[in-house]
Amino acid sequence: MAYLSVLLCLLLPAVGLLYYYVKQVYRYWSERNVPQLDAAFPFGNMKGVGTKIHVNDVMDVAYKKGKSLGTAACGMYFMLNPTLIVTDLDFAKRILVKDFNSFHDRGLYVNERDDPLSGHLFALDGERWRYLRNKLSPTFTSGKIKQMFTTICEIGDEFLASVGNYADQKKPIDIKLLSQCFTCDVVGSCAFGLKCNSLKNEGSKLLEIGDKVFKPPAWRNMLVFLQITFKKLARALHMAAMPSEVGAFFMPLVRDTVETREKNLIERPDFLNLLIQLKNKGTVEDEASDSLEKLTLEEVAAQAFVFFFAGFETSSTTLSFALFELANNQEIQERVRDEVLEKLKLHDNKITYEALKDMTYLDQVINETLRMYPPVAQLLRVATQPYHVETMNFTLDKGRMVMIPTYSIHHDPTIYPNPERFDPDRFSPEAVHARHTHAFLPFGDGPRNCIGMRFGLLEVKFGIVQMLSKLRFSVSPRMQLPIRISKTSAVLEAEGGIWLNATRLSEATRD
């Protein structure tokens, strides 16, 4: 009995202190006169995310509350982490561009000691990020990307053959799966010179690993939030940022490929070749110097990892949603096809790098797809120093997380009337000029925008042209309409998949 009394005497104050601490945490924003969402321990505002609701749904509630109150931001809580949701486009512009030096970090969990792949460009902060960004920027110039175009064309023929096979058999097409296979094969070849054969086999080991990265179970999403909130503790516990299977597969793949190339003096026009140059010379330019800092093999693997997985998943998402919207809007599909065939005639009916550059209406179609289905639905930044928000008269503490809800901005009816309607004319030059410069953020903006933007857009554009120049698409009865976004996927994905039917264009149409 005495033992129980002592236990209660110890436990009750601990519970009381925890209760007081949690109440204080969940008053963080209201104490600064910032409107906030009501939160509950232990999930904050994240209860049900990944199972019953998507994180975009929570962002949208905060965004709409801030907009309705006319404030530049609204507060919410990622578990015990107070997070500011930006609701004003001028504030977004200051964070991304004008005051970038106060927000140059993303604040993600990085643990290179136990998980070398976590040290990639997307996640790194501070000087490490700046150093790698400067090193890698020359690898994504138009000239370097153009060298990879031949590879895209070769795999594009396999993509057309795979989709055409379903068209000939009059079978519904799982266009997301085949788009993933196409972009996996392209990025696998352009990154590593690997023949993934995803299209031939309708799957590959790399696609399986990709699912572990982009379709984690709900508990893993919560673990990520905890790692971001308690970084020092997570590192002390030797916690990896990625599932163990990812590192176990990817690290030996890169190591063996690099060793084979260096041993046999193999050079290819791909991303890994450029990374090997950075490893051995410290530059991708012709002149090399011993004074230049060089990449380690672990850093090479981490950059190859993020290029591969970010490249294939985001591009396949955009490509599959674009083909769905074209199938669902036949007049727009015909207008795109007319432009495609017209421009191809000027280039001997071949899909060339120059021909793609001339397809301006197709650019509008892709931009409208990125508006409706942005692959990266939120932009994450962390205040790297105290920052005074003048319009709301409060100071953002150093280390505080800020999120720009791209999905909510892109679906804001005050910016894009009738936002659920697919309308590429929203991106005519006149319409773009009339909108705020930061009303469209699929690739972010400022010094930390998407470094692989050009490559991703080229991949998507080529895929659409390859399809529409030979096939006509319609929505399969197997497709679940109206389209609903899956709650469990880290990137935007349609529940039940994207199912299309396709028929070959007649000879007369092509001529």
Side-chain angles (χ1 to χ4, degrees):
M1 193 68 181
Y3 176 76
L4 181 60
S5 298
V6 171
L7 186 62
L8 286 173
C9 286
L10 293 173
L11 188 61
L12 288 175
V15 171
L17 286 172
L18 177 63
Y19 177 79
Y20 176 76
Y21 170 74
V22 170
K23 293 292 285 185
Q24 285 297 105
V25 168
Y26 290 157
R27 283 201 293 261
Y28 180 89
W29 294 117
S30 58
E31 287 179 346
R32 289 158 176 76
N33 294 317
V34 175
Q36 69 170 49
L37 303 185
D38 293 332
F41 182 77
F43 298 110
N45 298 114
M46 305 306 289
K47 186 177 181 180
V49 169
T51 53
K52 296 180 180 178
I53 59 174
H54 196 280
V55 66
N56 289 343
D57 300 326
V58 182
M59 298 286 114
D60 210 43
V61 173
Y63 178 80
K64 288 175 179 175
K65 181 168 186 174
K67 288 280 288 189
S68 67
L69 296 173
T71 59
C74 179
M76 60 169 286
Y77 300 88
F78 276 75
M79 305 186 85
L80 294 173
N81 194 354
T83 304
L84 194 67
I85 308 304
V86 175
T87 59
D88 174 73
L89 298 183
D90 286 330
F91 189 23
K93 184 175 183 177
R94 286 197 294 276
I95 290 168
L96 296 174
V97 183
K98 292 183 176 180
D99 297 328
F100 174 77
N101 286 335
S102 297
F103 297 96
H104 54 68
D105 292 349
R106 288 199 171 102
L108 298 175
Y109 176 62
V110 175
N111 181 6
E112 293 177 271
R113 177 189 60 191
D114 302 296
D115 182 6
L117 293 183
S118 67
H120 54 72
L121 187 67
F122 188 83
L124 287 173
D125 289 335
E127 288 306 312
R128 288 291 313 288
W129 165 77
R130 202 178 300 276
Y131 156 73
L132 269 175
R133 178 81 184 207
N134 289 336
K135 288 284 187 184
L136 294 173
S137 290
T139 69
F140 289 96
T141 61
S142 296
K144 295 287 195 303
I145 291 170
K146 194 173 180 180
Q147 290 176 10
M148 304 177 190
F149 187 69
T150 302
T151 300
I152 297 177
C153 293
E154 292 170 357
I155 296 169
D157 291 337
E158 295 180 19
F159 185 33
L160 178 62
S162 296
V163 177
N165 186 46
Y166 280 91
D168 293 339
Q169 297 180 57
K170 296 185 168 33
K171 288 183 178 180
I173 304 160
D174 183 349
I175 202 65
K176 177 59 190 291
L177 172 61
L178 292 185
S179 295
Q180 279 184 317
C181 292
F182 167 62
T183 58
C184 179
D185 286 354
V186 166
V187 180
S189 183
C190 290
F192 309 111
L194 294 178
K195 283 198 171 291
C196 300
N197 293 321
S198 303
L199 281 165
K200 290 180 180 177
N201 302 321
E202 293 199 1
S204 67
K205 183 64 177 179
L206 280 167
L207 283 178
E208 291 176 25
I209 296 295
D211 281 346
K212 295 185 183 298
V213 175
F214 292 105
K215 298 177 185 177
W219 67 266
R220 184 151 197 99
N221 286 328
M222 291 303 165
L223 180 62
V224 170
F225 298 146
L226 285 170
Q227 288 174 333
I228 291 173
T229 304
F230 304 107
K231 293 186 181 73
K232 290 183 180 178
L233 176 61
R235 290 191 191 104
L237 294 173
H238 296 270
M239 297 177 69
M242 297 285 170
S244 58
E245 306 97 307
V246 176
F249 174 81
F250 208 79
M251 282 298 298
L253 173 67
V254 175
R255 187 184 301 112
D256 293 346
T257 307
V258 170
E259 288 178 358
T260 299
R261 290 197 183 190
E262 290 182 336
K263 181 180 178 180
N264 297 293
L265 303 178
I266 297 171
E267 290 194 10
R268 283 178 52 92
D270 59 21
F271 184 57
L272 185 61
N273 195 68
L274 299 171
L275 289 176
I276 292 172
Q277 290 181 39
L278 290 174
K279 171 180 170 290
N280 295 331
K281 298 194 300 180
T283 178
V284 296
E285 309 302 331
D286 291 335
E287 65 276 3
S289 169
D290 291 336
S291 63
L292 290 173
E293 192 172 349
K294 299 168 185 176
L295 298 189
T296 65
L297 181 63
E298 287 74 19
E299 287 173 326
V300 167
Q303 309 328 307
F305 163 80
V306 77
F307 176 75
F308 178 79
F309 285 106
F312 101 80
E313 183 61 38
T314 56
S315 297
S316 66
T317 297
T318 303
L319 177 56
S320 56
F321 275 123
L323 290 172
F324 162 72
E325 288 294 347
L326 291 172
N328 201 39
N329 296 272
Q330 290 292 318
E331 289 185 7
I332 296 174
Q333 183 181 159
E334 290 305 319
R335 183 174 169 186
V336 175
R337 182 177 291 106
D338 287 345
E339 179 185 65
V340 165
L341 296 176
E342 176 190 340
K343 300 302 181 184
L344 290 183
K345 279 184 180 178
L346 302 176
H347 296 269
D348 297 324
N349 289 319
K350 294 177 182 176
I351 305 177
T352 64
Y353 190 82
E354 290 71 24
L356 294 181
K357 287 177 65 176
D358 293 340
M359 299 177 189
T360 54
Y361 184 66
L362 178 54
D363 288 333
Q364 293 177 212
V365 166
I366 294 172
N367 283 340
E368 176 68 345
T369 303
L370 290 166
R371 179 194 70 80
M372 292 185 69
Y373 310 101
V376 180
Q378 303 90 30
L379 303 176
L380 180 63
R381 296 291 186 271
V382 168
T384 52
Q385 57 191 17
Y387 182 85
H388 188 68
V389 183
E390 293 182 6
T391 56
M392 298 181 70
N393 195 29
F394 82 98
T395 298
L396 197 62
D397 294 333
K398 179 181 178 179
R400 189 57 55 217
M401 188 176 290
V402 179
M403 296 188 83
I404 299 171
T406 304
Y407 187 89
S408 297
I409 293 169
H410 287 189
H411 289 78
D412 186 338
T414 65
I415 301 172
Y416 298 99
N418 195 4
E420 302 309 316
R421 182 169 65 92
F422 186 77
D423 181 10
D425 287 331
R426 297 183 204 271
F427 289 91
S428 67
E430 299 78 18
V432 171
H433 183 72
R435 276 194 302 272
H436 194 286
T437 55
H438 284 64
F440 182 61
L441 295 167
F443 301 102
D445 196 22
R448 196 143 193 176
N449 70 341
C450 175
I451 194 172
M453 176 178 67
R454 284 196 193 100
F455 183 85
L457 287 173
L458 178 66
E459 202 176 359
V460 171
K461 201 168 185 180
F462 179 90
I464 295 173
V465 170
Q466 182 78 298
M467 293 297 104
L468 293 194
S469 65
K470 305 295 182 183
L471 299 165
R472 179 173 283 106
F473 290 90
S474 60
V475 179
S476 167
R478 186 169 175 175
M479 179 85 189
Q480 294 180 21
L481 295 174
I483 200 167
R484 290 185 298 180
I485 299 300
S486 169
K487 311 299 183 188
T488 59
S489 180
V491 294
L492 296 186
E493 188 168 270
E495 280 190 6
I498 298 178
W499 293 90
L500 305 181
N501 292 330
T503 56
R504 294 190 183 272
L505 300 182
S506 67
E507 292 295 324
T509 303
R510 276 182 278 154
D511 294 334

